Amino acid sequence: MKRIRRSVWAAGVVLLVGGLLAGCSQEYDDERGKGDAPVQGKAGDDTPAEVFNMPDGFGNLATKCVGHGFRAYVTTNATGPSNVQIVEDKTCGG
């Protein structure tokens, strides 16, 4: 009886991990090749960000106001995930 329970438990873990990995492996890639997530109703803030270019091998930095009273800082890097920081910024009114 214990052997069956272990087998069922192991099969459940394999299915769970497999499902998680399958969900993570699907990369969204739009026509611009940016991999941006879709925005419901296409209603978003498309104003440009201020971009600071870094030397080759370093991620570029982009910043802009997001929401009311917050600023986002985002880095890009071709070799890894981007870093995002959102901080309070009183100059970002709304």
Side-chain angles (χ1 to χ4, degrees):
M1 200 62 147
K2 285 185 178 181
R3 188 177 200 165
I4 293 174
R5 284 186 191 164
R6 284 188 209 162
S7 297
V8 170
W9 183 81
V13 169
V14 168
L15 286 173
L16 178 65
V17 171
L20 290 172
L21 291 175
C24 293
S25 67
Q26 298 174 356
E27 293 183 26
Y28 182 80
D29 193 19
D30 64 4
E31 67 275 358
R32 295 177 299 159
K34 300 292 186 188
D36 291 339
V39 176
Q40 185 176 4
K42 302 209 185 281
D45 177 5
D46 286 335
T47 58
E50 187 175 4
V51 177
F52 299 93
N53 294 321
M54 299 296 175
D56 286 347
F58 294 91
N60 294 330
L61 173 71
T63 183
K64 71 181 276 184
C65 292
V66 293
H68 300 288
F70 295 94
R71 177 171 293 278
Y73 294 92
V74 182
T75 62
T76 59
N77 193 333
T79 61
S82 66
N83 295 303
V84 177
Q85 291 290 318
I86 299 177
V87 297
E88 284 190 64
D89 185 342
K90 293 179 183 183
T91 64
C92 295

